[in-house]
Amino acid sequence: MADTGVQARRSAVYLLDQVLGEEPRLMSELLASGALDKLPPDDRARAQRLAQDTLRGLERADRLLQKHLQKPPPLTVRNVLRVGTVELCQGGAAHGVVNTMVNLVSQHRTLSHLKGLTNAVLRKIAAQGPEAWGALRAPRLPKWLRGPLAEAWGTDAIAAMEEAHFAGAPLDLTAKGDPAALAEAVGGTLLPTGSVRVTDAGQVSTMPGFAEGDWWVQDAAAAIAVRVLAPKEGETVLDLCAAPGGKTMQLAAAGAVVTAVDQSHPRMQRVKENLTRVGLKAKTLTKDARAVEGEFDAILLDAPCSATGTIRRHPDLPHAKDGSEFGDLIELQSELIDHAWSLLKPGGRLVFCTCSLLPDEGEVQVDEALERHGDMTVDRAALDLPGVEAAWQTEEGGLRLRPDFWADKGGMDGFYIACLRKGEASRAVGR
């Protein structure tokens, strides 16, 4: 039977060339710019999965390959070998994988002379690799990121996070209505916090309830932020940095009068499309969050950040970034907190959150904000929610979520969440 993965494998190699090249690009940017648009849906999904699996297993693949290479070949050939190695070690049929990868090299304008090398190396991997693969450690984060995270959480915790990153992420859904009914409809598991988790989901748009707008995709950790905010029907709620809109939809589904803000036109268009699909309403503004005016009962600020908490879903992040932009992001977060605070009514609440594992983008931000604003207190009681464990609470009163939490359930994204009250609060608060 002929192997049908030629286009998917070629595209996976292209994605890796871009992510791992001299000027690294994020996969999300590549996909948004149409890198895979010409592929049929099945090939597009397969190419993306192959690239992500290879990035997750990059250290393992390179360890196996170095035994058969006297020196590293050019990047494209190296990525052909990496994709082939990961496929073979995950059970791919040797004949189809090896033949396709050799053909990809032989058809290359300047690298065709390396087809013999490609063939020889992958045949050795096919024979020896699958057994050796499982004996290797979970791939480690690059030193520039592993160092600060180990300092913050300890080496044992980082090792557990790396296991979670390597395992990847299941699909989490947020129900527009009853989560238990959704779990039954899609064959998923109801998580303690109310999200629904699906393994081996396949094509999202063909799942029960998608076309009807019964649910949306949203990691379980991200969904907790709106539950902490606890929007009430009729409240005016500002959702800053709203794209792709999961939290906007949560807020609207609770009956809040929502204003969603994002400065990216394409990303805001996605928010509008998502709202339309699920039949929910929100006012949408495409502008810098620091330029927003008005007065609101509650504000959700999911601030731009390093996204280091999302590596289990986005394994390109550690390779395409080097941490050089994190300082600017941390400064921007402080500015956004201060501006959001100026828009909040007395007695109102601000939930600040980031999908980051770095304390400087979470715990430290809240500590410093409390020093800047005399009328700001942390509402610890807001974290008392079903499924939210007491051990996740932090010294300053926030919530620290990590990829290694719920390891027996498939993990969660890394997140930081804190609920901040302005002036006189309607319930007990404290630091």
Side-chain angles (χ1 to χ4, degrees):
M1 183 176 177
D3 186 84
T4 58
V6 177
Q7 292 292 347
R9 290 178 179 128
R10 178 182 287 114
S11 297
V13 171
Y14 170 78
L15 292 175
L16 292 174
D17 283 351
Q18 301 305 306
V19 171
L20 302 172
E22 290 185 10
E23 296 182 6
R25 295 181 65 187
L26 288 170
M27 200 178 300
S28 58
E29 296 172 358
L30 293 165
L31 298 176
S33 64
L36 302 183
D37 284 0
K38 293 182 180 179
L39 294 182
D42 286 351
D43 277 349
R44 189 159 59 235
R46 185 174 180 181
Q48 194 171 341
R49 185 176 67 251
L50 279 174
Q52 289 177 331
D53 285 350
T54 304
L55 287 165
R56 288 191 183 100
L58 200 64
E59 180 188 301
R60 283 191 178 188
D62 285 349
R63 281 176 178 254
L64 294 179
L65 287 167
Q66 71 183 9
K67 299 175 183 178
H68 308 296
L69 295 168
Q70 292 182 339
K71 62 178 182 179
L75 181 63
T76 296
V77 175
R78 210 180 325 162
N79 287 333
V80 166
L81 293 172
R82 285 162 163 168
V83 172
T85 296
V86 170
E87 267 207 277
L88 290 168
C89 291
Q90 292 183 343
H95 179 76
V97 174
V98 175
N99 282 2
T100 300
M101 294 311 189
V102 171
N103 285 336
L104 289 182
V105 174
S106 68
Q107 294 165 10
H108 197 283
R109 185 169 51 86
T110 60
L111 300 173
S112 59
H113 62 288
L114 293 171
K115 65 181 181 181
L117 171 77
T118 303
N119 181 60
V121 170
L122 288 181
R123 289 196 180 282
K124 290 176 183 175
I125 294 292
Q128 305 165 16
E131 185 178 352
W133 180 263
L136 296 171
R137 73 185 184 192
R140 289 191 171 182
L141 291 165
K143 290 180 180 178
W144 69 263
L145 181 56
R146 196 176 204 271
L149 292 181
E151 186 178 345
W153 311 117
T155 53
D156 288 347
I158 296 308
M161 291 185 207
E162 287 167 338
E163 291 280 0
H165 292 160
F166 185 51
L171 184 73
D172 290 349
L173 311 177
T174 298
K176 181 180 173 183
D178 179 15
L182 174 61
E184 185 175 351
V186 299
T189 302
L190 182 60
L191 294 172
T193 52
S195 292
V196 174
R197 175 155 291 177
V198 184
T199 53
D200 301 322
Q203 187 69 28
V204 169
S205 59
T206 62
M207 290 172 60
F210 177 84
E212 295 79 8
D214 294 342
W215 49 266
W216 52 90
V217 175
Q218 185 180 31
D219 188 81
I224 293 173
V226 170
R227 297 187 174 114
V228 169
L229 186 70
K232 301 176 182 64
E233 188 164 353
E235 277 190 317
T236 56
V237 181
L238 177 64
D239 184 7
L240 292 174
C241 314
K247 298 179 187 69
T248 304
M249 290 183 281
Q250 281 181 284
L251 294 166
V257 180
V258 186
T259 300
V261 180
D262 202 279
Q263 67 176 357
S264 165
H265 285 276
R267 285 169 60 80
M268 182 52 78
Q269 185 59 36
R270 188 175 171 195
V271 174
K272 293 176 182 178
E273 291 168 359
N274 284 333
L275 285 166
T276 299
R277 180 180 66 82
V278 300
L280 293 169
K281 293 183 179 180
K283 180 181 179 181
T284 57
L285 300 176
T286 305
K287 65 193 308 182
D288 189 318
R290 292 167 293 184
V292 176
E293 299 176 348
E295 195 175 44
F296 299 87
D297 296 316
I299 298 174
L300 178 67
L301 170 57
D302 187 355
C305 70
S306 64
T308 45
T310 68
I311 292 171
R312 58 202 275 275
R313 294 184 187 281
H314 302 290
D316 54 315
L317 285 170
H319 303 286
K321 292 188 175 186
D322 61 5
S324 58
E325 79 276 30
F326 291 178
D328 290 340
L329 286 169
I330 290 166
E331 186 176 334
L332 173 60
Q333 291 154 16
S334 298
E335 292 178 21
L336 289 169
I337 290 172
D338 290 348
H339 183 65
W341 201 247
S342 74
L343 306 176
L344 193 62
K345 293 179 181 177
R349 61 211 184 277
L350 164 67
V351 163
F352 167 73
C353 59
T354 55
C355 54
S356 171
L357 291 170
L358 298 167
D360 283 349
E361 297 186 289
E363 293 87 340
V364 175
Q365 282 287 12
V366 168
D367 267 334
E368 293 180 351
L370 290 164
E371 292 179 5
R372 294 195 303 271
H373 300 281
D375 58 348
M376 179 185 288
T377 51
V378 179
D379 187 349
R380 292 178 181 271
L383 308 181
D384 185 16
L385 296 167
V388 174
E389 299 180 20
W392 300 349
Q393 293 194 28
T394 55
E395 184 178 347
E396 80 296 333
L399 201 61
R400 167 53 63 190
L401 308 177
R402 297 193 332 219
D404 55 316
F405 293 172
W406 282 353
D408 59 328
K409 298 179 177 67
M412 63 171 69
D413 280 357
F415 238 85
Y416 177 82
I417 303 166
C419 185
L420 308 170
R421 287 270 176 174
K422 188 171 189 175
E424 290 296 318
S426 59
R427 54 181 170 177
V429 297
R431 284 202 61 190

